[in-house]
Amino acid sequence: MIRRLPKDVVDRIAAGEVIERPSSVVKELVENALDAGARQVDVSVEAGGKRSLRIADDGCGMAPDDLELAFVPHATSKLSAVDDLLEIASFGFRGEALASVGAVARARIVSRPADGDGHEVTCEAGAIGEVRPCGAAPGTVVEVKNLFFNVPARSRFMKSDAAEASRCLDQVVKAALAHEGVGFSFSHGGRCSFRVAPDADRRSRVGEAYGHELAARMIAVERADGGVRVEGLIGPPDTAKGRTTHQAVFLNGRPIVDPAIRAAVRQAFREFLAP
């Protein structure tokens, strides 16, 4: 017998496709902050992000009408027609991130446009509250607590607090490496472990992430051909490691894992490294 699933079940299944663990929340909300034109993004987590996450930005903020739809599935300001899919110029555009977070956590958004007043809205397990006035600085703060509290089976797949925090930090580091002109910070349990200023260049950002001694020795590469531009930093052969942990590749500001690019790097270094 085929029957239509209840809305709360549908929401939780859909959320599982977007939010796998705390680092998924960080990724989605940092991308939202970048789309909002933020110059500073601050991420703080507790218990590896399982107990709470807080992402604050100084972007354009949201008006009350936007907050009413923020947790509604497939509600977005970044698409209006099917043809828009051919020229995506933003990170999050499907309108799923906040709805997915709200379906499996206790979430709260506080936001204020530069020329307006602050407002807040909450969402607990998919139940969206009323938009209410509140004091707020320009920008947006998203607080997420008790992730997967209503999906205990998902919680059992979480790793240790340290491991989950490391995954969250990795998302912030990747965003910082890809977006010069934006400052980032990351704190776990009240302790800041990563910080870059908006005016920090790429080499400084690599230094904060992987060590300033390594960053100072890295070689700048740049090439433009046929409308494609490649630029970045690469370490000399004696800094090579057996794993690809410190390889970071970005396409139009998005982190990617591409076997062809990794193979090209290995091929270029083949004569300089031991097998």
Side-chain angles (χ1 to χ4, degrees):
M1 176 180 176
I2 297 177
R3 57 183 178 273
R4 188 183 296 272
L5 291 171
K7 182 179 182 301
D8 62 331
V9 176
V10 172
D11 289 346
R12 294 184 197 182
I13 292 173
E17 297 175 355
V18 179
I19 306 301
E20 296 180 350
R21 56 194 338 115
S23 58
S24 304
V25 178
V26 172
K27 173 185 179 296
E28 297 288 349
L29 298 185
V30 166
E31 289 181 350
N32 279 357
L34 293 170
D35 283 339
R39 284 269 296 165
Q40 181 67 42
V41 182
D42 299 311
V43 178
S44 57
V45 304
E46 298 286 343
K50 293 176 284 185
R51 183 186 306 148
S52 70
L53 304 99
R54 183 179 188 273
I55 293 85
D57 70 65
D58 61 353
C60 62
M62 288 183 279
D65 291 347
D66 292 327
L67 282 176
E68 288 182 355
L69 296 173
F71 285 115
V72 175
H74 306 297
T76 178
S77 62
K78 301 161 190 175
L79 289 176
S80 58
V82 67
D83 290 343
D84 294 341
L85 290 169
L86 302 178
E87 297 185 10
I88 296 296
S90 59
F91 291 100
F93 58 87
R94 299 166 297 175
E96 293 182 50
L98 287 171
S100 296
V101 171
V104 293
R106 297 182 173 95
R108 174 174 176 256
I109 302 175
V110 176
S111 193
R112 175 189 158 194
D115 58 351
D117 298 323
H119 289 79
E120 67 175 343
V121 64
T122 61
C123 184
E124 180 173 332
I128 304 172
E130 294 182 358
V131 175
R132 299 179 178 181
C134 71
T140 300
V141 176
V142 183
E143 298 174 345
V144 180
K145 296 184 177 181
N146 306 121
L147 187 64
F148 299 130
F149 79 96
N150 57 342
V151 193
R154 296 297 302 275
S155 298
R156 288 194 287 269
F157 287 94
M158 300 294 100
K159 304 297 184 182
S160 67
D161 291 356
E164 295 298 339
S166 179
R167 289 174 181 264
C168 293
L169 172 59
D170 185 59
Q171 293 295 336
V172 177
V173 167
K174 286 178 178 177
L177 293 179
H179 297 282
E180 292 182 79
V182 181
F184 291 86
S185 73
F186 177 83
S187 300
H188 181 217
R191 177 177 174 272
C192 182
S193 56
F194 179 77
R195 184 184 298 277
V196 293
D199 59 355
D201 61 14
R202 181 173 288 114
R203 192 178 297 272
S204 297
R205 291 165 186 257
V206 170
E208 291 294 333
Y210 304 129
H212 291 286
E213 182 178 348
L214 170 63
R217 298 188 59 206
M218 296 186 83
I219 303 162
V221 294
E222 185 174 341
R223 176 75 181 269
D225 186 14
V228 177
R229 180 184 179 88
V230 178
E231 62 179 38
L233 296 166
I234 195 163
D238 64 321
T239 65
K241 299 183 181 298
R243 300 168 60 190
T244 58
T245 307
H246 289 176
Q247 283 188 13
V249 181
F250 306 93
L251 175 63
N252 296 335
R254 294 179 178 272
I256 63 170
V257 177
D258 187 277
I261 293 176
R262 287 186 170 177
V265 173
R266 286 196 301 269
Q267 179 70 15
F269 276 89
R270 187 177 59 177
E271 297 181 5
F272 304 97
L273 300 177

